[in-house]
Amino acid sequence: MRSIGHWFAGKAVEGRSGRTGAVYNPATGEQQAEVSFVGADEVDEAVRAAAAAFLEWGQSSLSQRAKILFSFRELLNAHMPELAGMIVDEHGKVYSDALGEVQRGLEVVEFACGIPHLLKGEYSDQVSRGVDVFSYRQPLGVVAGITPFNFPAMVPMWMYPVAIACGNTFVLKPSERDPSPSLRVAELWAEAGLPEGVFNVINGDKLAVDAILGHPDVAAVSFVGSTPIARYVHEKATASGKRVQALGGAKNHAVVLPDADLSFAADHVSAAAFGSAGERCMAISAAVAVGDAGDDLVRALTERADAVRVGPGRDEASEMGPVVTLQAKERITGYIERAEREGARLARDGRGLVVAGHEGGFFVGPTVVDQVTPDMEVYRDEIFGPVLSVLRAGTVDEAIELVNANPYGNGTAVFTSSGEAARRFHREVNVGMIGLNVPIPVPMAYYSFGGWKDSLFGERRIHGPEGVGFYTRSKVVTSVGRHPGPAPARPCTSRR
Ligand code: NAD
């Protein structure tokens, strides 16, 4: 059995705590590796390595950082197929989707390559006679990232390229379910010339997270995962004086108005519901049909659900892979069962799907649950599987109220041909990322990513300009020249 360790102080480190977890291949259902879980002493070692590295890296020049980031970008680009393959084997998503994941992460690296520009400060000349004021930003020190299983390459890349470019050193605690891509990335950073100790990876579970949250030398924590853990991380880390951004779960609604192109909407809503087996924080899990759009929409969605080719992620013909673990599969099928008991109608039931040759795989077929009401568990909870609930609303106002009454506020979309309705929708919904005829409105790397309400705890969103703000502190300097006497004005005589 392959064993997976850690990476800190510039080298691969074998686990020594004796605590381990199983890593499965979700397409076959077989365990393929054993990952070591760090103990608190190993977390301390990794943080100390990062703290030692910060003494140099925090003083590195902008051109040195940009040069290493450009090299890292080239290496990532060259190793994209390898990283995507690792994602498929441990997460289960299909290969094209895994490639897309690495590509979206790479775009954050490209954003961070512009760090000399991003860290430019401000300067006010002559705020008073002989007095100038300027501001600039400095790194925080050791910062940590704690990430979920569903984007094992991209979500960590929302964090560390920006953090490292800003002059911090980084300790990553990836998901214990798919840890391998992060260790490969650590090797690529080393090959790109990043000094040892600047990027570190520790594998583990709650014990590792708690040791990070309580470590006095960790200045800031970026977390992405489910809402209960995001809330916990935010409370615990702020209590110990750390800066925190904790992104949580989601229940993303697609509102379909009667004037929408129904076929277009059904194509996009079903792709957003069943892509990556619904294991995306921006997946659409609730479709809200407005007015008389309901029955036609359900018919179109069930047709799309039937057409999805479910199979192992390595098979090029597959459009949707398995879910990540057997527990995830059982949790999802439990929700489908209880939805039926609560009075919803299963327009398509993905339970019982068997993929020939992969009978042990953790597959759940695309499921469409109709006649869902807001009080049902299938609507209230984040299911994180290929299950799409369909609700009905009489008017656009009712649909907006429904979206706003939901405790989550990550993403939402409206499908309509009315510019006026689209504008009202984006102005009135209390959600952080909104698509107008776009089902998964994930912002580009040069914007910041993050939701509202229970989908984000903390003030700053991730990557983009808010990421730079999160990983730095600003200083404002007021400066009086040594001889502040009246300086003669020297008019410029050139016309050019
Ligand atoms: P999770 O919350 O179970 O795990 C996230 C991280 O927290 C992992 O590293 C895990 O080891 C750690 N963790 C788990 N339980 C813990 C505990 N009790 N104490 C301390 N740490 C703990 O999430 P997941 O199942 O890996 O990922 C799926 C979730 O992530 C979904 O809710 C999804 O919506 C969310 N997500 C959100 C975003 C976003 O941008 N808002 C992006 C991706 C995923």
Side-chain angles (χ1 to χ4, degrees):
M1 180 77 59
R2 185 165 61 94
S3 67
I4 300 171
H6 320 291
W7 177 283
F8 48 84
K11 57 182 186 304
V13 178
E14 274 180 32
R16 57 168 193 255
S17 72
R19 298 170 60 245
T20 58
V23 178
Y24 291 91
N25 180 336
T28 61
E30 283 159 14
Q31 183 180 348
Q32 54 171 319
E34 193 166 63
V35 58
S36 297
F37 288 174
V38 277
D41 54 332
E42 291 159 296
V43 174
D44 183 52
E45 252 177 71
V47 173
R48 277 167 193 265
F54 178 69
L55 299 177
E56 273 298 312
W57 186 249
Q59 298 299 326
S60 59
S61 70
L62 290 174
S63 50
Q64 183 193 356
R65 293 183 217 164
K67 206 170 155 192
I68 292 172
L69 277 156
F70 272 102
S71 304
F72 179 62
R73 189 257 169 217
E74 291 308 298
L75 286 165
L76 264 187
N77 203 31
H79 289 85
M80 220 187 252
E82 182 194 350
L83 287 167
M86 287 175 153
I87 295 169
V88 173
D89 292 343
E90 292 186 357
H91 174 285
K93 65 179 72 175
V94 299
Y95 182 72
S96 55
D97 202 21
L99 271 182
E101 163 175 357
V102 185
Q103 172 60 34
R104 291 309 298 261
L106 183 80
E107 289 165 12
V108 182
V109 180
E110 289 167 348
F111 168 76
C113 284
I115 197 66
H117 176 71
L118 295 167
L119 284 183
K120 279 197 295 199
E122 294 175 316
Y123 197 102
S124 298
D125 172 55
Q126 197 79 341
V127 294
S128 183
R129 280 184 177 272
V131 181
D132 301 335
V133 175
F134 58 96
S135 70
Y136 62 97
R137 308 194 72 89
Q138 289 185 316
L140 306 176
V142 179
V143 301
I146 301 162
T147 53
F149 81 86
N150 67 319
F151 284 107
M154 181 187 77
V155 168
M157 279 186 220
W158 285 353
M159 305 171 179
Y160 60 73
V162 182
I164 289 173
C166 288
N168 302 283
T169 55
F170 200 88
V171 177
L172 173 64
K173 206 299 281 171
S175 170
E176 59 275 42
R177 287 175 236 165
D178 41 18
S180 295
S182 297
L183 292 168
R184 186 70 186 105
V185 161
E187 292 171 354
L188 299 180
W189 268 124
E191 207 178 323
L194 192 72
E196 61 185 47
V198 177
F199 180 73
N200 308 277
V201 181
I202 49 174
N203 283 307
D205 56 357
K206 177 172 167 52
L207 192 154
V209 172
D210 286 342
I212 289 170
L213 300 181
H215 202 293
D217 291 340
V218 173
V221 176
S222 297
F223 172 88
V224 177
S226 59
T227 287
I229 313 297
R231 189 180 276 122
Y232 168 79
V233 166
H234 184 255
E235 282 173 10
K236 202 152 178 204
T238 48
S240 61
K242 301 188 195 316
R243 192 177 277 201
V244 193
Q245 52 181 184
L247 283 73
K251 194 82 188 179
N252 305 313
H253 300 68
V255 174
V256 181
L257 303 192
D259 64 9
D261 176 336
L262 205 73
S263 169
F264 175 88
D267 282 348
H268 288 271
V269 171
S270 58
F274 308 131
S276 200
E279 293 173 323
R280 290 177 179 147
C281 64
M282 290 291 277
I284 293 293
S285 51
V288 184
V290 175
D292 55 9
D295 291 346
D296 288 344
L297 181 66
V298 170
R299 249 190 307 278
L301 288 171
T302 46
E303 270 172 28
R304 303 317 188 264
D306 288 343
V308 176
R309 288 193 299 264
V310 183
R314 285 277 185 179
D315 182 343
E316 273 183 25
S318 303
E319 293 170 330
M320 185 184 118
V323 297
V324 67
T325 54
L326 184 59
Q327 289 90 322
K329 176 178 170 161
E330 287 170 351
R331 194 194 67 242
I332 295 161
T333 53
Y335 273 109
I336 301 172
E337 199 178 302
R338 292 190 295 279
E340 199 175 24
R341 253 192 270 142
E342 277 192 279
R345 186 179 77 85
L346 300 184
R348 270 305 164 271
D349 183 354
R351 288 174 297 175
L353 174 95
V354 176
V355 174
H358 288 78
E359 288 75 9
F362 310 137
F363 292 97
V364 183
T367 299
V368 180
V369 190
D370 192 14
Q371 307 293 352
V372 173
T373 52
D375 54 311
M376 290 181 185
E377 184 199 52
V378 70
Y379 174 74
R380 289 196 319 268
D381 290 3
E382 181 185 38
I383 296 174
F384 223 55
V387 180
L388 177 63
S389 294
V390 183
L391 297 92
R392 319 282 173 120
T395 61
V396 187
D397 285 328
E398 256 181 66
I400 292 175
E401 268 171 40
L402 187 69
V403 174
N404 287 349
N406 195 281
Y408 297 106
N410 214 38
T412 188
V414 66
F415 288 87
T416 177
S417 56
S418 157
E420 194 210 337
R423 184 170 188 273
R424 260 194 62 204
F425 184 81
H426 78 71
R427 295 196 75 249
E428 291 178 23
V429 284
N430 297 330
V431 174
M433 295 172 283
I434 299 158
L436 307 179
N437 295 311
V438 172
I440 303 195
V442 174
M444 297 303 288
Y446 37 89
Y447 285 80
S448 298
F449 181 108
W452 286 18
K453 303 194 282 184
D454 285 358
S455 296
L456 170 65
F457 301 89
E459 293 72 37
R460 288 208 186 86
R461 295 177 297 163
I462 216 158
H463 69 63
E466 291 187 41
V468 175
F470 181 77
Y471 291 124
T472 52
R473 268 189 294 230
S474 68
K475 267 183 179 163
V476 183
V477 181
T478 305
S479 146
V480 178
R482 281 202 1 166
H483 302 289
R490 293 183 200 280
C492 174
T493 50
S494 165
R495 292 197 173 178
R496 277 179 286 127

